[in-house]
Structure formats: C-alpha cells, structure tokens
C-alpha cells in the first residue's frame, strides 16, 4: 500500500483544569447542552438539566479531568439588552462519568498504530432559575489550550468558554445533542468527512456554521475563574495567527467546509500540527431563533499510511428524498471499499427511535467484505408530515490500515397533506333564502373531501370540493372541510362560520272597508331595528313607518279598492305583507226642490229612492 505523509487527528477542544503547563494543557473537546425540565409549580422557577461533555488527550503527563466545572447562568440587562450579561446563578457541575474513546479497529496485519488516547468526561447538574422573558446564557470557562496549536496566537495562554443559549423559559426548548463523539483520527491529503450532526428533541430546524472559538474570561493566571458578576458581551474570542481565520483554520492550501443543513464537514490540511475551530448550531422554530449551542474542536495533523475510505455504491446515489405523509419509503444503503477491506455500516438518528419518531424507520447495521448493502425502510403515518426534514447518518468504517470512515447524511422530507384553502361562500344569509347554498374549497387532484355542518344540512354529495347546504334555523352555522390524500391522510380542518339571520315580522294589518273621507290606520306597532316601506304611497301620511294613516277618498259612484304592500328589512333580510283598503262612495242626498205651501196643505219632499 502506498504511503502518504499526513493524517488528521480530530478532537473537541476544552481548556485544562490544572495550572498552565505544557504537560497539563491537554483537555480537548466538548459541548454544553441543556434539557428543559419545565416549571416547578410550587416555586414558579424553571428547571434545566445541564450537561457538559469534555475530552482530554490522555498522553503521559497530561492533567486528569477536573472533578467539577464552574457554571455561570446569565440574563440580559433590561436597560441594555445587547450589553454585558448579568449573573443570576453561580454553581458547579460535578463529574458524572468518564470513559475511553476507542477509534475504529484496523486489520490485524496493520503495522501502523497511531498513538491515540482520548478520554471523555461527562458533567451533569440540575439547576432552578427564576422566570424571565429574554432567556438564559449558560457559560463555563477554563484555561488553557495546548501550547502547540498552530493557528492561534499565544495558544498556551488562551482559554475556552463553553456556551449555550436558551430562549424565554415559557417556551419549552431543549438544546440539540451531537450525534457522535469526536472521531479519533482521520487521514489527510484527501477529503475528510467529519460528522458534527446533532439531533434535536423538539424537532426544530438546525443551522450549522463554523464560528471563531471563544476565549472566554479565563487566563493563564486564572485558569478556573468564578463566573463574573457581569460577563463581557460578546464573549471574547481567540486570536488567530497570521494567514489563519475562521474560514481558513488550516491556513493557505487547506480547506474547511460545512453543510449548514446537516452539519457534515469536510477538511483538508497540508501541514502537520494542531488546529482549532468551532461549530455553532442555531435552532429555529417557526422561523424564530430559540437556542444556540456549539462545539469547540481541535484537529491534529499527523503522518500515517494511505487507505481509501469506503464509498457509496453507485457513486452519486441519492441522499435526499421527498415523500407524502402516509407513504412508505425503502432504499438500499450500499458501500464498497477499493481495497476490498471489511466494511461496517452503522446508522444513527432519531428517525430510528420509536420514543421520538413513531412509527420509526428500520435499518439493520451490517458488515461484510468489499461491498456491503443494507435496506432502509420507513412506513410513515398520517401525523408525520413536518416542515423540518428528518435526517439520519450512515457511518461506514473499514478495517484498513489505518481504519477509515465515511459519513453520509440522508435527508427525508415528509410533506404534510395539502390543506384546503379558506371555504368560499356567503358569510351571512337570510333564513328565507338559505336553501341549497353552495360552499367550496379549491380542488386538489386525487384528493377527496369531508364536510361537516352544524345548524344546517348537506343537500346531496359531500365528498367533493363543493357542497350545497340548507339552513332552516336562524343562528350561527359552522362549516368545516378537510382534504383527504390518496394515502387516507386528513389535512388540517378549515372552518367557516355563517350567520343565518331571521326574517323580520311584516304586519300590514287587517283589510279595511270604509266610506270616503274616513282616516284609518294600517300596520301595527314597530319593532326595533326593522325598517319599513309601503307601496303605493297613495293616501298615506308617510310610507316609512310601521303604522301609517291612510285617508280614504272616493269621488266616484262605485267602491275603490287599493292593495298596499308593506316590506320590512332587518340586517338585509326582508319580509312583506299586504292589506286591502276599500273606499265606498258617499250616498247621494236629494231633498227635492224648494216648495211654497199654504197653511194646512200637505206636500211631498225629496226624490224617489234609487
């Protein structure tokens, strides 16, 4: 096998707990995370479990893991929210557990034995915090970094700050946790993949970026400071040597890139040495930042043999998939090794945990020689659509010399059942005109629909995008519609309320028959809110009240009948009634002509009856 000159050894950086000496500055790596435990109803305080994970390079003479770490919890100054942070809690985090981190095994014939000894220390504590509306800043400081770090100025005097931010505690949020420990070693002069992926228990959208590592407030003369009353903001960062930066942590000729969606990073370094960088994760929920956490990293470039890493088969196999909730997705994970080495496929991700993703996906970790294949399958349910893609990672190791690792992150977008838009149709109706009223939503190809109505009845079919509804009772009617996908998954429900207004009363009164010259009343008492209109207006004192008077005149010799129509209106709803008024002519009075008579005579007056 050909030889190469360099290999990269990757670790997370932390500062040391011992005094500043070159043989004691070997604490390397880690991250600070928190788990939201909720509110204590007795005290009104919010509880968090804090976990600080640290790594040390356990070569001969290096300092042991500290037995505890100082922790300061801070909040915004209400007078100056963007300024220095105010201390609200000063406590310590005790060492909870420790273990050795073992790199992937090479084959038995490999004579290359990298001198790698990494120890992980996990610190845990639970804290209780008074409520606020701006969130908390968790910070733990330690000094100092290794003296031999190539990309930092005065690295032996540079400290480290481990930091996480939690939003307003009324919003339940736990920070993401990194999926795997730092990789023990990787070879250089090719593209090296490093997994910085984290899993979030709240399903928030995670965004990954390289950032400048924090220096914090510790120093060589004060390697383990108590949390200050005011923490300088922004947190002090490290100083790079010339030709090094956050975008060029390995200097000219090197490279470092990271996928902002998956956290998968690629590194290339040409020169031996120790290098520092940091990865920060921002959590977004519905577009709002709810948390920040980070990992401080150290990369060591050493000389080692060449061994090509396993590759996906075929090259360019898809790693991103989109399905509808309720769909089943199955595909092969296949990898091959150019040297015919043994291959070991391990998968990680919340997608396989039924306590987080239910139903969970399935895949079998497997191994073989040359080419290895395993099948991923996931039968999704109707409630697993999400705006945040699901992710899992295949970690593929070979047993070459040295053992190499390939990380592939798979992304699965499960689209929600498409929701219908707002229900169209009138918002108000009058009870007299509320039959077979059409309501609808936009049509979605391949979908059926479900309709539900209160205070109304669906008239005809109810599985299409439109329905006809009869309303028979005044009041509020509620119409609801759901779309049902071809997988049988219902959408969110869209709702519309309809006001069914009653008809106003209309009383034109009883029919009237009277003699010419008589004044009579029509209609009846008024009802508040109702408007009135009479037609025709002939003989009426007014045509806009409930009970106008009508003056009856008939100059003719025969009766005259007039029909009056009363129209009432209440909030756009109308009603009507009619009344007939018959006016009889006055009778003719004829006494006859004047006459003169003598006393004692008898005469006839008047005219014959007609």
């Amino acid at each position: 096998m050909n030889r190469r000159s360099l290999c990269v050894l990757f670790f997370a950086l932390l500062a040391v707990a011992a005094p500043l000496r070159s043989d004691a500055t070997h604490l390397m790596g880690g991250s600070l995370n928190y788990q939201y435990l909720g509110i204590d109803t007795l005290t009104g305080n919010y509880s968090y479990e804090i976990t600080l994970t640290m790594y040390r390079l356990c070569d001969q003479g290096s300092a042991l893991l500290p037995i505890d770490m100082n922790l300061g919890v801070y909040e915004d100054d209400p007078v100056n929210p963007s300024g220095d942070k105010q201390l609200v809690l000063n406590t310590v985090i005790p060492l909870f557990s420790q273990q050795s981190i073992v790199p992937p095994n090479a084959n038995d014939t490999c004579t290359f034995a990298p001198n790698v000894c990494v120890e992980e220390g996990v610190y845990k504590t639970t804290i209780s915090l008074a409520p606020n509306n701006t969130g908390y800043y968790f910070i733990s400081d330690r000094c100092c970094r290794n003296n031999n770090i190539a990309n930092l100025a005065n690295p032996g005097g540079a400290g480290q700050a481990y930091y996480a931010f939690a939003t307003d505690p009324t919003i339940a949020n736990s920070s993401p946790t990194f999926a795997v420990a730092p990789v023990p070693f990787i070879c250089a002069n090719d593209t090296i993949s490093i997994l910085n992926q984290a899993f979030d228990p709240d399903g928030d959208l995670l965004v990954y970026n390289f950032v400048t590592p924090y220096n914090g407030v510790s120093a060589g003369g004060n390697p383990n400071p108590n949390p200050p009353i005011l923490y300088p903001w922004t947190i002090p960062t490290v100083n790079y040597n010339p030709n090094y930066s956050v975008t060029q942590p390995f200097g000219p000729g090197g490279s470092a890139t990271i996928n902002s969606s998956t956290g998968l990073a690629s590194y290339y370094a040409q020169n031996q040495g120790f290098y520092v960088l940091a990865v920060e994760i921002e959590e977004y929920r519905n577009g709002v930042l709810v948390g920040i956490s980070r990992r401080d990293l150290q990369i060591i470039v050493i000389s080692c043999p060449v061994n090509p890493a396993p590759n996906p088969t075929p090259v360019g196999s898809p790693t991103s998939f989109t399905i509808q909730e309720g769909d089943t997705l199955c595909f092969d994970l296949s990898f091959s090794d150019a040297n015919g080495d043994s291959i070991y496929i391990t998968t990680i991700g919340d997608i396989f945990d039924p306590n987080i993703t239910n139903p969970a996906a399935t895949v079998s970790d497997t191994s073989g020689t040359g080419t290895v294949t395993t099948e991923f399958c996931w039968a999704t349910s109707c409630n697993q659509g999400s705006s945040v893609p699901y992710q899992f990672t295949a970690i593929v190791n070979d047993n070459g010399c040295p053992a190499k690792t390939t990380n592939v992150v798979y992304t699965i977008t499960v689209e929600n059942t498409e929701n219908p838009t707002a229900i169209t149709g009138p918002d108000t109706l009058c009870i007299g005109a509320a039959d077979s009223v059409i309501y609808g939503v936009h049509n979605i190809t391949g979908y059926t629909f479900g309709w539900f109505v209160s205070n109304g009845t669906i008239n005809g079919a109810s599985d299409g995008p439109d329905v006809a509804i009869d309303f028979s009772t005044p009041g509020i009617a509620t119409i609801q519609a759901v779309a049902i996908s071809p997988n049988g998954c219902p959408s969110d429900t869209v709702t519309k309320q309809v006001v069914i207004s009653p008809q106003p009363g209309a009383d034109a009164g009883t029919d009237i028959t009277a003699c010419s010259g008589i004044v009579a009343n029509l209609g009846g008492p008024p009802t508040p809110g109702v408007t009135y209109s009479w037609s025709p207006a002939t003989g009426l004192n007014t045509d806009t009240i409930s009970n106008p008077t009508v003056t009856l005149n008939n100059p003719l010799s025969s009766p005259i009948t007039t029909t009056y129509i009363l129209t009432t209106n209440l909030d756009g709803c109308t009603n009507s009634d009619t009344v007939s008024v018959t006016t009889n002519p006055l009778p003719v009075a004829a006494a006859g002509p004047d006459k003169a008579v003598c006393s004692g005579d008898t005469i006839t007056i008047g005219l014959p009856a007609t």
Side-chain angles (χ1 to χ4, degrees):
M1 183 180 291
N2 293 330
R3 313 285 289 184
R4 273 190 193 169
S5 60
L6 299 178
C7 184
V8 178
L9 186 57
F10 179 115
F11 298 106
L13 265 184
L14 257 79
V16 300
L20 178 61
R21 306 196 316 270
S22 62
D23 66 344
T25 53
H26 294 119
L27 283 178
M28 309 172 61
S31 57
L32 192 154
N33 305 96
Y34 58 88
Q35 181 183 357
Y36 180 85
L37 302 180
I39 188 171
D40 184 330
T41 56
L42 295 179
T43 65
N45 288 348
Y46 291 88
S47 296
Y48 292 84
E49 181 182 71
I50 306 298
T51 300
L52 175 61
T53 303
M54 301 173 63
Y55 300 91
R56 77 177 186 100
L57 185 62
C58 46
D59 55 1
Q60 186 175 4
S62 64
L64 299 176
L65 289 167
I67 61 172
D68 57 43
M69 290 285 291
N70 288 332
L71 174 70
V73 181
Y74 295 84
E75 65 182 4
D76 288 338
D77 179 351
V79 178
N80 183 20
S82 62
D84 294 348
K85 304 309 174 187
Q86 297 179 336
L87 183 69
V88 295
L89 179 68
N90 178 355
T91 188
V92 296
I93 316 175
L95 181 62
F96 176 78
S97 66
Q98 55 194 108
Q99 64 175 347
S100 295
I101 302 300
V102 180
N105 293 325
N107 62 59
D108 294 339
T109 64
C110 181
T111 59
F112 174 76
N115 184 18
V116 175
C117 178
V118 179
E119 186 179 31
E120 177 188 74
V122 178
Y123 299 77
K124 285 182 179 289
T125 192
T126 299
I127 59 175
S128 178
L129 300 172
N132 67 24
N133 58 8
T134 58
Y136 308 110
Y137 305 84
F138 306 108
I139 307 174
S140 181
D141 282 276
R142 207 78 177 196
C143 188
C144 296
R145 299 177 185 265
N146 296 349
N147 285 310
N148 55 352
I149 297 172
N151 61 344
L152 298 188
N154 186 27
Q160 297 177 88
Y162 301 93
Y163 162 74
F165 167 73
T167 191
D168 174 354
T170 61
I171 301 172
N173 182 64
S174 297
S175 67
T177 56
F178 286 97
V180 295
V183 177
F185 72 92
I186 57 177
C187 291
N189 289 328
D190 59 5
T191 300
I192 305 303
S193 70
I194 296 299
L195 187 62
N196 295 296
Q197 187 182 28
F199 298 121
D200 188 79
D202 307 305
D204 296 324
L205 178 66
L206 304 183
V207 178
Y208 302 81
N209 284 294
F210 285 133
V211 289
T212 302
Y214 285 142
N215 187 89
V217 297
S218 61
N222 187 18
N224 186 25
N226 285 321
I229 299 299
L230 289 177
Y231 201 97
W233 198 259
T234 58
I235 298 175
T237 56
V238 299
N239 295 316
Y240 287 104
N241 270 327
N243 298 322
Y244 295 94
S245 67
V246 66
T247 57
Q248 278 196 315
F250 305 111
S255 66
T257 61
I258 190 168
N259 185 306
S260 62
S261 299
T262 66
L264 186 62
S266 295
Y267 301 110
Y268 181 86
Q270 292 182 326
N271 302 314
Q272 292 187 5
F274 290 64
Y275 302 88
V276 166
L277 52 81
V279 175
E280 185 170 86
I281 304 175
E282 294 177 323
E283 297 176 73
Y284 290 91
R285 188 176 304 170
N286 300 321
V288 178
L289 181 69
V290 295
I292 299 174
S293 54
R294 55 165 51 201
R295 172 184 268 179
D296 202 308
L297 308 170
Q298 185 176 124
I299 296 174
I300 306 173
V301 181
I302 63 173
S303 177
C304 68
V306 172
N307 174 40
N311 285 312
T313 303
V315 175
S317 298
T319 59
S320 181
F321 302 87
T322 299
I323 61 175
Q324 299 287 321
E325 60 181 0
D327 283 344
T328 295
L329 173 67
C330 293
F331 60 89
D332 286 341
L333 307 178
S334 185
F335 293 85
S336 61
D337 189 271
N339 296 335
D341 294 331
S342 294
I343 301 174
Y344 307 87
I345 301 178
T346 303
T347 52
I348 59 170
D350 288 346
I351 197 171
F352 304 115
D353 185 347
N355 295 316
I356 299 174
T357 306
N358 188 16
T362 60
V363 68
S364 296
D365 294 346
T366 189
S367 62
T369 301
T371 299
V372 176
T373 300
T374 188
E375 185 183 43
F376 169 92
C377 264
W378 188 21
T380 64
S381 69
C382 288
N383 63 352
Q384 289 185 302
S386 174
S387 60
V388 178
Y390 295 84
Q391 294 179 353
F392 75 93
T393 300
I395 303 173
V396 187
N397 299 308
D398 70 10
N399 71 337
C401 183
K404 297 296 288 291
T405 300
T406 295
N407 300 292
V408 179
V409 178
Y410 295 86
T411 300
I412 302 170
T413 299
V414 182
E415 295 181 336
N416 286 292
T417 299
E418 186 175 346
N419 293 325
T421 56
I423 298 173
T424 59
D427 296 324
T428 59
L429 291 168
C430 299
I431 194 64
D435 292 334
S436 296
V437 183
I438 302 300
Y439 289 88
V441 295
H442 79 281
N443 191 28
I444 307 172
T445 302
Y447 279 48
T448 58
F449 297 84
W451 291 87
F452 309 91
V453 182
S454 69
N455 197 26
T457 303
I458 295 175
N459 183 352
S462 61
D463 59 353
D466 300 296
V467 290
I469 302 176
D470 297 338
F471 303 95
S472 58
T473 305
I476 302 296
T478 300
I479 306 172
Q480 293 181 312
V482 296
I484 303 168
S485 75
N487 293 328
C489 296
S491 69
D492 292 339
T493 301
V494 61
T495 300
K496 184 182 187 71
Q497 285 194 330
V498 180
V499 177
I500 312 300
S501 299
Q503 282 186 314
D507 180 11
T510 58
D511 293 344
I512 297 173
T513 299
C515 295
S516 177
I518 299 298
V519 176
N521 286 102
L522 304 182
T527 300
V530 176
T531 60
Y532 300 85
S533 176
W534 293 84
S535 179
T538 304
L540 301 180
N541 67 327
T542 177
D543 60 357
T544 59
I545 64 175
S546 66
N547 52 353
T549 60
V550 58
T551 300
L552 308 177
N553 289 299
N554 186 353
L556 305 178
S557 60
S558 59
I560 299 174
T561 299
T562 303
T563 299
Y564 289 92
I565 302 171
L566 169 63
T567 302
T568 57
N569 187 305
L570 176 63
D571 298 328
C573 296
T574 61
N575 200 356
S576 63
D577 191 25
T578 61
V579 62
S580 294
V581 177
T582 300
T583 306
N584 291 322
L586 294 175
V588 177
D594 293 339
K595 292 183 178 182
V597 298
C598 294
S599 176
D601 287 346
T602 298
I603 62 172
T604 300
I605 59 175
L607 297 174
T610 59

